[in-house]
Coordinates of all heavy atoms in Angstrom, one line a residue:
K1 N -28.4 0.7 171.7 CA -28.9 0.0 170.6 C -27.8 -0.4 169.6 O -27.8 -1.6 169.2 CB -30.0 0.8 169.9 CG -30.6 0.0 168.7 CD -31.8 0.8 168.1 CE -32.3 0.1 166.8 NZ -33.4 0.9 166.2
D2 N -27.0 0.5 169.3 CA -25.9 0.3 168.4 C -24.9 -0.8 168.9 O -24.5 -1.7 168.2 CB -25.1 1.6 168.1 CG -25.9 2.6 167.3 OD1 -26.9 2.2 166.7 OD2 -25.5 3.8 167.3
I3 N -24.6 -0.7 170.2 CA -23.7 -1.7 170.8 C -24.3 -3.1 170.8 O -23.7 -4.1 170.4 CB -23.3 -1.3 172.3 CG1 -22.4 -0.1 172.3 CG2 -22.6 -2.5 173.0 CD1 -22.2 0.5 173.6
V4 N -25.5 -3.2 171.2 CA -26.2 -4.5 171.3 C -26.4 -5.1 169.9 O -26.1 -6.3 169.6 CB -27.6 -4.4 172.0 CG1 -28.3 -5.8 171.9 CG2 -27.4 -3.9 173.4
K5 N -26.7 -4.2 168.9 CA -26.9 -4.7 167.5 C -25.5 -5.2 167.0 O -25.5 -6.3 166.3 CB -27.4 -3.6 166.7 CG -27.7 -4.0 165.2 CD -28.3 -2.8 164.4 CE -28.6 -3.2 163.0 NZ -29.2 -2.1 162.2
A6 N -24.5 -4.5 167.2 CA -23.1 -4.9 166.7 C -22.7 -6.2 167.3 O -22.2 -7.1 166.6 CB -22.1 -3.8 167.0
V7 N -22.9 -6.4 168.6 CA -22.5 -7.6 169.2 C -23.4 -8.8 168.8 O -22.9 -9.9 168.5 CB -22.5 -7.4 170.8 CG1 -22.2 -8.8 171.5 CG2 -21.5 -6.4 171.2
S8 N -24.7 -8.5 168.7 CA -25.6 -9.6 168.3 C -25.3 -10.1 166.9 O -25.5 -11.3 166.6 CB -27.1 -9.0 168.4 OG -27.4 -8.7 169.7
Q9 N -24.9 -9.2 166.0 CA -24.6 -9.6 164.7 C -23.3 -10.3 164.6 O -23.0 -11.0 163.6 CB -24.7 -8.4 163.7 CG -26.1 -7.8 163.6 CD -26.1 -6.6 162.7 OE1 -25.1 -5.9 162.4 NE2 -27.3 -6.2 162.2
A10 N -22.4 -10.1 165.6 CA -21.1 -10.7 165.5 C -21.0 -12.1 166.1 O -20.0 -12.8 165.8 CB -20.1 -9.7 166.2
V11 N -22.0 -12.5 166.9 CA -21.9 -13.8 167.6 C -23.1 -14.6 167.2 O -24.1 -14.1 166.8 CB -21.8 -13.6 169.1 CG1 -20.5 -12.8 169.5 CG2 -23.0 -13.0 169.7
D12 N -23.0 -15.9 167.5 CA -24.1 -16.9 167.2 C -24.7 -17.4 168.4 O -25.3 -18.5 168.4 CB -23.6 -18.0 166.3 CG -22.4 -18.7 166.8 OD1 -22.0 -18.4 168.0 OD2 -21.9 -19.7 166.2
V13 N -24.5 -16.7 169.5 CA -25.2 -17.1 170.8 C -26.0 -15.9 171.3 O -25.9 -14.8 170.8 CB -24.1 -17.4 171.9 CG1 -23.3 -18.7 171.5 CG2 -23.2 -16.2 172.2
P14 N -26.9 -16.1 172.2 CA -27.8 -15.0 172.7 C -26.9 -13.9 173.3 O -25.9 -14.2 173.9 CB -28.7 -15.7 173.7 CG -28.7 -17.1 173.4 CD -27.3 -17.4 172.8
V15 N -27.4 -12.7 173.2 CA -26.8 -11.5 173.9 C -27.7 -10.9 174.9 O -28.9 -10.7 174.6 CB -26.4 -10.4 172.8 CG1 -25.9 -9.2 173.5 CG2 -25.4 -11.0 171.9
T16 N -27.3 -10.8 176.1 CA -28.1 -10.2 177.2 C -27.5 -8.9 177.6 O -26.3 -8.6 177.3 CB -28.2 -11.1 178.4 OG1 -26.9 -11.4 178.9 CG2 -28.8 -12.5 177.9
V17 N -28.2 -8.1 178.3 CA -27.8 -6.8 178.8 C -28.1 -6.6 180.2 O -29.2 -6.9 180.7 CB -28.4 -5.6 177.9 CG1 -27.8 -4.3 178.4 CG2 -28.1 -5.8 176.5
K18 N -27.1 -6.1 181.0 CA -27.4 -5.8 182.5 C -27.4 -4.3 182.6 O -26.5 -3.6 182.3 CB -26.2 -6.4 183.3 CG -26.3 -6.1 184.8 CD -27.2 -7.0 185.5 CE -27.3 -6.6 187.0 NZ -26.0 -6.8 187.7
I19 N -28.6 -3.8 183.1 CA -28.8 -2.4 183.3 C -29.2 -2.1 184.7 O -29.4 -3.0 185.5 CB -29.8 -1.8 182.3 CG1 -31.2 -2.4 182.6 CG2 -29.4 -2.2 180.9 CD1 -32.3 -1.8 181.8
R20 N -29.3 -0.8 185.0 CA -29.8 -0.3 186.3 C -31.1 0.4 186.0 O -31.6 0.6 184.9 CB -28.8 0.6 186.9 CG -27.7 -0.1 187.6 CD -26.7 0.8 188.4 NE -25.8 0.0 189.2 CZ -25.8 -0.1 190.5 NH1 -26.6 0.7 191.2 NH2 -25.0 -0.8 191.2
S21 N -31.7 0.9 187.1 CA -33.0 1.6 187.0 C -32.8 2.9 186.2 O -33.7 3.3 185.4 CB -33.5 2.0 188.4 OG -33.8 0.9 189.1
G22 N -31.7 3.5 186.3 CA -31.4 4.7 185.6 C -30.0 5.2 186.1 O -29.4 4.6 187.0
F23 N -29.7 6.4 185.7 CA -28.4 7.0 186.2 C -28.6 7.6 187.6 O -27.8 7.5 188.4 CB -27.8 8.0 185.2 CG -26.4 8.3 185.5 CD1 -25.4 7.4 185.0 CD2 -26.0 9.4 186.2 CE1 -24.0 7.7 185.3 CE2 -24.7 9.7 186.4 CZ -23.7 8.8 186.0
S24 N -29.7 8.3 187.7 CA -30.0 9.0 189.0 C -31.5 9.0 189.2 O -32.3 8.6 188.3 CB -29.4 10.4 189.0 OG -30.0 11.2 187.9
D25 N -31.9 9.5 190.3 CA -33.4 9.5 190.7 C -34.2 10.3 189.7 O -35.4 10.0 189.5 CB -33.6 10.1 192.1 CG -33.1 9.1 193.2 OD1 -33.0 7.9 192.9 OD2 -32.9 9.6 194.3
D26 N -33.6 11.3 189.0 CA -34.4 12.1 188.1 C -34.1 11.6 186.6 O -34.5 12.3 185.7 CB -34.0 13.6 188.2 CG -32.6 13.9 188.0 OD1 -31.8 12.9 187.9 OD2 -32.2 15.1 188.0
Q27 N -33.5 10.4 186.5 CA -33.2 9.8 185.2 C -33.6 8.3 185.2 O -32.7 7.5 184.9 CB -31.8 10.0 184.8 CG -31.4 11.5 184.6 CD -29.9 11.6 184.3 OE1 -29.1 11.3 185.1 NE2 -29.5 12.1 183.1
I28 N -34.7 8.0 185.7 CA -35.2 6.6 185.7 C -35.7 6.2 184.3 O -36.8 6.5 184.0 CB -36.3 6.4 186.8 CG1 -35.8 6.9 188.2 CG2 -36.7 4.9 186.8 CD1 -34.7 6.1 188.8
N29 N -34.8 5.6 183.6 CA -35.2 5.3 182.2 C -34.9 3.8 181.8 O -34.7 3.5 180.6 CB -34.4 6.2 181.2 CG -32.9 6.0 181.3 OD1 -32.4 5.4 182.3 ND2 -32.2 6.4 180.3
A30 N -34.9 2.9 182.7 CA -34.7 1.5 182.4 C -35.6 1.0 181.3 O -35.1 0.2 180.4 CB -34.8 0.7 183.7
P31 N -36.9 1.3 181.3 CA -37.7 0.8 180.2 C -37.3 1.3 178.8 O -37.2 0.5 177.9 CB -39.1 1.4 180.5 CG -39.1 1.6 182.0 CD -37.7 2.0 182.3

């Protein structure tokens, strides 16, 4: 959240994020 907020406030174009399902099978936290 902090990274996206900092970048979003620094630029005047849309900011998107590329993520994975999670780090491992027991850490599925993409939502």
Side-chain angles (χ1 to χ4, degrees):
K1 181 178 177 180
D2 290 344
I3 290 172
V4 177
K5 184 176 181 180
V7 173
S8 295
Q9 292 178 343
V11 301
D12 57 2
V13 296
V15 173
T16 60
V17 183
K18 176 83 183 296
I19 67 174
R20 283 185 169 245
S21 296
F23 197 81
S24 60
D25 287 343
D26 59 355
Q27 294 175 298
I28 305 294
N29 65 339

